[in-house]
Every structure is written in C-alpha cells, then in structure tokens.
Amino acid sequence: MKGANMAQPTMQQVAELAGVSTALVSLVMRDAPNVSDYRRQLVLAAADELGYRPNVLARNLASRRTQTIGVVLNDLHNPFFAEIVDGLQAAADDNEYRILIGNGSHSQLGEEQSVETFLQFRADGLVIAGSMLSDDVLERTSRTAPVVVVGRTSTSEVFDTANTDDQVGARLVVDHLVALGHQRIAHIDGGRGAGVIERRHGYRTAMRAHGLGEHIHVVRGDFSEAGGRKAAHVLMQHDRRPTAIFAGNDLSAVGALGVVENLGFNVPGDVSIVGYDNTSLAAMHHVSLTTINQPTEELGRAAIDLLLERLDGNRTKATHHVADPQLICRSTSGPSPAG
C-alpha cells in the first residue's frame, strides 16, 4: 500500500521515466510542434503513469497570461445567467480560454468578494453578469483587469457592456398586450436588479404612448419567484385588478402565474402574464410563458470578444454592444376579458 505522500510528481521524474530530457518534456507539455510522435507518446505515457500535471501557474506567469476569465453571476438561481454562461463558455473554448465562475449572491458585497478573488488569482479579464456594482467601482476594477458587464446598460467610457435594449423590450410587451385589447396593464419590476430602470421606463413610456397613462401601475419586485408571488398578491387585491401583468423577468412571471391561478383566475382568460428573458423555464410545456427573448449566446460571445480585443491591445475605447430583443408569444397572453 502506498504511503500518504501527496507530493506532486515533477517534470524531472517524467523525463527519467520516459528516458528523455526535461527540455523535451517541457516541449510536449506546451504542445510544441517540433516533437516526433514517438517521443511525444513516450512523454505522455510517463506523465499519465505518474499522474503528472504541468505547472500552469508557473507557465502563465512567464507569459503574463493565465488564459482564464473570471465570471461573476449576480444570482445562480436565475436561469438567465446560466444561459449567459453557455455563450461565454463556447466563445472562451474557441479562443482556448477557461472560465471560472463566482456567485455574487444577489448582493454588492458578494460581487465585490468574487471580483477580488479573481483579481488575486490573476484572471486575465472579468465578465460580470447583472452587476449591482456602481460604475465607479467597475471603473476602478477595470484599471487592474478588463471588465465587461453583461445585462446592464452604462455610458462608461472605461469598461465595456453587452446587453439587450430593455426599453425596446418593454415596449414590445405593452404593444402586444394593447393589441390584444388590454388597458389595465400592470408591471412588476425587479427592485435593484440590472435592467430594471430601463424596463420600467419602457413600460411607462409605451403606456403613455397608447393613451393609457392613467392605468400605469408599478409594483416592486426583486427578479425572483418569491418576489413575483408577493407582487401578484398586491395586484390581484387591487380594486381595479389588472387584466395583464408584465413581470420584470421570467422567474417573477412564474411566481405571479402561480398566485393568479391559485386565486381561481384563468391565465390568459382572466389575466395575461408576460415575462422577460426567454429562459428555458419560460419554454417548459406546462409554463409556456409569453416573454421577451434576450439572445444569451450572442451576449456571451460578445462579452468574450470585447475582452479579447482589450487583452490583445486592439482597442482602448469603451464599446457598448446592444442586441435586439424579440417578443416570443406563447400560452400566457390572450385577449382582454374586457375586450
């Protein structure tokens, strides 16, 4: 039985077992092209037998790159952020980068701690999805490593952003519901979440544009299912309950949907409900939520491209990538019962 010696095998040991020089082992581990297949296989077999892993940290310190990108997600419970990661991962893989994920825990402190950890581990750049940090904090951070904020607008001239035009998205929702005959359209916002101000402004502007300013009704939420439930209770107890609810995101919409149905109302017969994000949750057959699509793969890829432009020295001026939202009609929106 082997002892409890946990010392990592060295490059020298791999060289001795393979009967080659340490220089050749180094070439193989760096995937250098000028090594014969025979010798490459000798080294790889020896490394596998010993359980050897190359010292990536030392190699990266020499190249001044760690080939890693720190990704801070505002809320791991929100499927929108998980789907953003799919786009980030695909683009990172294409460029031989690895992503490391930190949870912001839906708080500024959680984000700050994750950012600091990634900076200490010398991540080449940071992607912060749904950030709650101020522009000042993000700009200070970007002096240490390039920063791209996903899912939140900014006019910063220091860091980059990739997001959807949320004002346009909110207008698409109101236009859709008005076309179905709705007038009493209420909005559950996302509290302090990213995109809240733009979606709320887009809702208010669209309602006024349709001559429905008197029916504007905003209830505070927090981009969570629980927040949607709480807000829906408030709305459904109102003297003039809405015939349609525009929730700030899909999670909130699902919470509202449960409350409306539990109170004995039919969706969409009595109340139409529309979400935002078009997550996998919205597309589930038993939910079938009408929502606004945010192109998560496009946003994730754009974020990686923006970071690499900075890292490769191809750009210093801030860029703000804006994607077009799209209305996805499903089963939770229908004609107004009053229409």
Side-chain angles (χ1 to χ4, degrees):
M1 180 178 180
K2 293 183 179 180
N5 184 0
M6 299 298 290
Q8 295 293 322
T10 66
M11 189 180 295
Q12 179 65 40
Q13 290 172 317
V14 174
E16 290 174 357
L17 182 59
V20 300
S21 67
T22 54
L24 182 63
V25 174
S26 177
L27 288 173
V28 171
M29 294 304 160
R30 288 188 283 113
D31 201 24
N34 54 333
V35 179
S36 69
D37 289 342
Y38 173 72
R39 289 193 169 189
R40 187 182 301 277
Q41 291 306 315
L42 276 179
V43 170
L44 292 176
D48 183 62
E49 182 176 338
L50 292 172
Y52 171 78
R53 297 291 182 274
N55 189 336
V56 175
L57 180 59
R59 184 180 68 199
N60 289 338
L61 286 174
S63 67
R64 297 183 180 273
R65 290 277 185 98
T66 63
Q67 297 299 121
T68 61
I69 294 171
V71 177
V72 182
L73 304 180
N74 176 268
D75 181 8
L76 287 179
H77 297 286
N78 188 338
F80 170 71
F81 294 116
E83 291 167 25
I84 285 287
V85 170
D86 288 341
L88 292 169
Q89 185 72 68
D93 287 347
D94 288 346
N95 291 279
E96 298 184 345
Y97 268 80
R98 296 293 174 262
I99 63 171
L100 308 173
I101 297 176
N103 182 14
S105 301
H106 212 224
S107 73
Q108 291 183 1
L109 179 60
E111 283 188 39
E112 289 172 353
Q113 290 174 336
S114 291
V115 166
E116 181 60 27
T117 298
F118 289 140
L119 292 179
Q120 289 180 8
F121 278 89
R122 301 295 190 268
D124 291 333
L126 301 175
V127 175
I128 309 179
S131 181
M132 299 176 71
L133 300 177
S134 68
D135 278 10
D136 287 344
V137 171
L138 293 168
E139 288 178 356
R140 286 199 301 271
T141 302
S142 67
R143 296 190 185 103
T144 303
V147 172
V148 179
V149 176
V150 178
R152 189 185 104 185
T153 59
S154 174
T155 58
S156 173
E157 297 180 358
V158 179
F159 61 86
D160 302 325
T161 62
N163 60 278
T164 303
D165 192 327
D166 289 324
Q167 291 192 45
V168 171
R171 188 181 71 217
L172 290 174
V173 173
V174 175
D175 289 350
H176 169 65
L177 293 170
V178 170
L180 290 170
H182 293 276
Q183 294 185 348
R184 298 198 304 274
I185 304 168
H187 177 47
I188 300 173
D189 76 11
R192 297 186 302 125
V196 168
I197 295 174
E198 292 76 18
R199 293 174 201 180
R200 185 170 58 230
H201 180 71
Y203 158 77
R204 290 180 181 275
T205 301
M207 289 289 283
R208 293 191 183 102
H210 285 288
L212 301 175
E214 64 181 303
H215 295 297
I216 291 174
H217 190 178
V218 178
V219 177
R220 186 180 176 88
D222 62 4
F223 278 170
S224 71
E225 190 172 349
R229 288 196 298 267
K230 184 177 179 179
H233 273 295
V234 172
L235 288 172
M236 298 307 290
Q237 291 171 4
H238 198 270
D239 290 341
R240 285 176 59 79
R241 66 170 177 80
T243 63
I245 297 173
F246 165 35
N249 74 345
D250 290 346
L251 275 178
S252 179
V254 168
L257 177 64
V259 166
V260 170
E261 291 184 334
N262 287 340
L263 289 174
F265 295 98
N266 177 265
V267 177
D270 298 313
V271 182
S272 288
I273 296 177
V274 179
Y276 204 103
D277 290 341
N278 193 31
T279 60
S280 55
L281 176 66
M284 293 177 69
H285 179 72
H286 69 283
V287 177
S288 190
L289 180 70
T290 296
T291 185
I292 292 294
N293 181 61
Q294 294 208 69
T296 51
E297 182 172 353
E298 175 186 339
L299 295 176
R301 286 188 171 275
I304 297 298
D305 289 344
L306 291 170
L307 275 184
L308 294 181
E309 286 176 5
R310 295 274 198 175
L311 290 169
D312 293 339
N314 295 329
R315 177 175 53 81
T316 57
K317 185 178 180 180
T319 295
H320 302 291
H321 176 90
V322 181
D324 294 325
Q326 179 186 9
L327 178 72
I328 305 297
C329 294
R330 296 194 180 98
S331 302
T332 60
S333 60
S336 168

